[in-house]
């Protein structure tokens, strides 16, 4: 199956046995009847497994070209499960430009359990190797990164990980499987905040993991069941429905993202524009190599780098909504320094480019002209 077909049919071969429902039904149940102890039809308790969630997990595996999918109550719950593969004394090499919630989970929770985190710039993938020690067990990559849209060479990182027998995890939230498939580039596991593009309608919170290796999958399934941060059947149904239009939505996100990035690049009040599709964007050539298109996430700074200018801009927007999150059909604007990345100390934030005037746009699928006109009036 090609990708566009997989979003609709991938992993969904079995028609509902009860009534032939085309869409997997919502099995809103906590438990399942047994005809003898252990005699069930594959499901016994919904923390361990639910038919609606299983349908979603099969779909997730299909669109990432993996074999095993796991759905969690949030993206952070998915990352939490990955970190539970580690033991005290283990080390993680992570990109230094990453989602604030990931940084908080690493430094405020798992650091206290004896896991050591090294945050480094990964724009040159070769730099990763010098930070690997005998205790390193995981390399954690976001690409494009949040919110600076830095591009990291997944294939090069995978070669380093394999050389040192280290797991490579890739947060593929911004790119989506439509644009980039890290498992095919050598990653061991892929993570999504399915809240974003996979769900696509800002009506659900969910996380996902996809892997190819059965031994790794079995460990993660055990953690998923033992820790219990699972997603419910209603939310599973919503993301299954969202995935069916993923290819259509992300293509429009990319088209509108390009228009917005080009408009901002030529605006006299705008200083820097961060969008992987711009030829002057760092590692644009790598983005071109590993991505099908360049996505709908655009960040920019204004000249003078004044906090007041950024706040004034987001307050004036009318079509873009000032809100956390991204990846929905509607356009959103955020101020990372005070919103999504507020948990990262100012000094650390600014080292990676998250300055006070930085604005992050999640460009939706509205009419391009309306989006440009909204930016125009807000910039003044």
């Amino acid at each position: 199956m090609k990708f566009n077909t997989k979003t609709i049919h991938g992993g969904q071969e079995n028609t509902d046995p009860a009534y032939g429902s085309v869409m997997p039904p919502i099995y809103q149940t906590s438990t399942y009847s047994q005809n003898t102890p252990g005699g069930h039809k594959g499901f016994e308790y919904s923390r361990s497994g639910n038919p609606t969630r299983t349908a979603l997990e099969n779909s997730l595996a299909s669109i990432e070209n993996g074999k095993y999918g796991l759905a969690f109550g949030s993206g952070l719950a998915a990352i939490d499960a990955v970190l539970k593969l580690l033991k005290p004394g283990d080390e993680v090499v992570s990109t230094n430009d990453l989602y604030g919630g990931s940084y908080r989970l690493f430094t405020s929770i798992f650091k206290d359990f004896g896991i050591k985190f090294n945050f480094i710039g990964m724009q040159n993938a070769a730099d990763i190797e010098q930070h690997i020690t005998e205790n390193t067990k995981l390399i954690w990559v976001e690409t494009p990164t949040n919110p600076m849209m830095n591009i990291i060479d997944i294939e090069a990182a995978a070669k380093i990980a394999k050389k040192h027998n280290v797991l490579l995890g890739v947060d593929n939230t911004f790119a989506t499987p439509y644009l980039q498939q890290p498992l095919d580039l050598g990653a061991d596991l892929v993570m999504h905040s399915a809240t974003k593009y996979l769900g696509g309608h800002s009506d659900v919170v969910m996380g996902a993991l996809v892997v190819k290796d059965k031994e790794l999958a079995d460990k993660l399934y055990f953690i998923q069941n033992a820790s219990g941060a699972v997603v419910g059947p209603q939310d599973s149904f919503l993301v299954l429905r969202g995935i069916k239009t993923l290819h259509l939505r992300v293509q429009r996100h990319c088209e509108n993202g390009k228009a917005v990035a080009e408009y901002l690049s030529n605006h006299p009040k705008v200083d820097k524009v961060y969008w992987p599709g711009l030829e002057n964007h760092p590692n644009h050539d790598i983005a071109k190599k590993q991505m099908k298109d360049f996505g709908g996430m655009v960040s920019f700074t204004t000249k003078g780098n004044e906090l007041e200018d950024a706040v004034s801009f987001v307050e004036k927007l009318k079509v873009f909504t000032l809100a956390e999150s991204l990846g929905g059909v509607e356009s959103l604007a955020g101020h990372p320094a005070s919103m999504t990345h507020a948990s990262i100390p100012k000094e650390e934030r600014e080292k990676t480019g998250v300055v006070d005037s930085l604005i992050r746009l999640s460009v939706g699928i509205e009419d391009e002209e309306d989006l440009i006109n909204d930016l125009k009036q807000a910039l003044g």
Side-chain angles (χ1 to χ4, degrees):
M1 274 186 201
K2 302 293 185 190
F3 184 84
N4 294 356
T5 309
K6 279 185 176 181
T7 61
I8 297 161
H9 300 288
Q12 307 300 301
E13 291 82 6
N14 298 325
T15 310
D16 166 47
Y19 299 105
S21 170
V22 171
M23 280 297 288
I26 301 169
Y27 284 89
Q28 195 70 52
T29 183
S30 59
T31 192
Y32 307 81
S33 67
Q34 303 184 24
N35 54 24
T36 187
H40 51 76
K41 296 178 181 177
F43 298 93
E44 48 193 322
Y45 186 64
S46 278
R47 171 172 37 76
S48 305
N50 174 285
T52 318
R53 190 176 94 216
T54 296
L56 169 65
E57 291 176 333
N58 290 342
S59 173
L60 292 167
S62 171
I63 60 176
E64 277 288 8
N65 288 341
K67 291 184 179 173
Y68 309 96
L70 302 91
F72 294 84
S74 69
L76 283 169
I79 301 172
D80 178 86
V82 173
L83 294 177
K84 283 173 180 167
L85 294 166
L86 307 177
K87 294 180 173 59
D90 288 348
E91 296 184 11
V92 177
V93 178
S94 168
T95 178
N96 62 354
D97 166 28
L98 79 168
Y99 168 53
S102 305
Y103 180 87
R104 181 178 57 217
L105 181 68
F106 292 174
T107 59
S108 299
I109 304 292
F110 280 92
K111 190 178 173 187
D112 290 344
F113 290 103
I115 312 292
K116 184 180 175 185
F117 295 89
N118 296 298
F119 297 97
I120 65 164
M122 293 184 177
Q123 287 87 325
N124 180 2
D127 292 343
I128 297 170
E129 193 157 20
Q130 62 186 310
H131 295 275
I132 292 176
T133 72
E134 60 182 17
N135 295 322
T136 304
K137 298 293 187 289
L138 173 67
I139 298 169
W140 188 256
V141 164
E142 262 184 35
T143 182
T145 61
N146 181 8
M148 300 308 297
M149 312 301 152
N150 285 319
I151 299 297
I152 297 164
D153 190 330
I154 298 170
E155 206 168 11
K159 283 176 184 167
I160 293 165
K162 282 181 174 44
K163 178 181 170 185
H164 294 275
N165 197 27
V166 172
L167 283 176
L168 174 63
V170 177
D171 181 339
N172 201 27
T173 300
F174 272 29
T176 81
Y178 177 67
L179 301 180
Q180 174 176 279
Q181 292 171 320
L183 295 179
D184 288 351
L185 296 169
D188 297 291
L189 60 89
V190 175
M191 194 287 296
H192 284 276
S193 172
T195 309
K196 314 305 193 298
Y197 288 104
L198 298 187
H201 293 79
S202 303
D203 54 8
V204 65
V205 173
M206 187 189 294
L209 295 175
V210 181
V211 302
K212 281 186 174 178
D213 180 72
K214 187 177 188 306
E215 187 182 349
L216 178 58
D218 287 343
K219 288 178 183 175
L220 289 167
Y221 281 128
F222 178 83
I223 292 166
Q224 181 192 40
N225 184 44
S227 293
V230 296
V231 66
Q234 175 72 36
D235 287 352
S236 297
F237 174 86
L238 287 171
V239 172
L240 257 173
R241 185 178 66 171
I243 287 172
K244 288 182 185 290
T245 59
L246 179 67
H247 53 305
L248 299 172
R249 290 184 287 104
V250 176
Q251 189 56 53
R252 179 56 64 89
H253 285 296
C254 291
E255 291 162 10
N256 284 351
K258 181 175 191 277
V260 164
E262 288 176 351
Y263 171 76
L264 291 170
S265 296
N266 293 310
H267 197 285
K269 289 189 178 177
V270 171
D271 186 17
K272 292 177 182 169
V273 179
Y274 304 95
W275 183 66
L278 295 173
E279 288 193 10
N280 63 356
H281 189 85
N283 283 354
H284 169 71
D285 55 329
I286 293 168
K288 221 165 143 181
K289 180 185 77 170
Q290 70 188 20
M291 296 172 75
K292 177 180 173 183
D293 206 326
F294 304 105
M297 297 301 300
V298 181
S299 292
F300 71 97
T301 57
T302 51
K303 286 180 178 167
N305 189 30
E306 295 295 335
L307 175 64
E308 295 76 13
D309 291 343
V311 171
S312 171
F313 170 81
V314 295
E315 287 178 348
K316 285 178 186 172
L317 290 167
K318 295 186 171 85
V319 178
F320 283 82
T321 301
L322 175 60
E324 301 257 0
S325 202
L326 58 107
V329 291
E330 67 290 313
S331 292
L332 301 178
H335 182 245
S338 63
M339 295 169 73
T340 53
H341 290 64
S343 58
I344 299 177
K346 182 179 170 72
E347 192 181 325
E348 293 301 313
R349 268 198 286 109
E350 296 201 335
K351 277 183 196 170
T352 62
V354 185
V355 295
D356 283 347
S357 75
L358 185 77
I359 291 154
R360 190 191 73 182
L361 302 176
S362 173
V363 183
I365 63 172
E366 301 94 340
D367 191 280
E368 173 191 311
E369 194 176 337
D370 290 331
L371 297 176
I372 300 295
N373 286 338
D374 194 33
L375 296 173
K376 189 176 183 179
Q377 65 81 23
L379 281 165

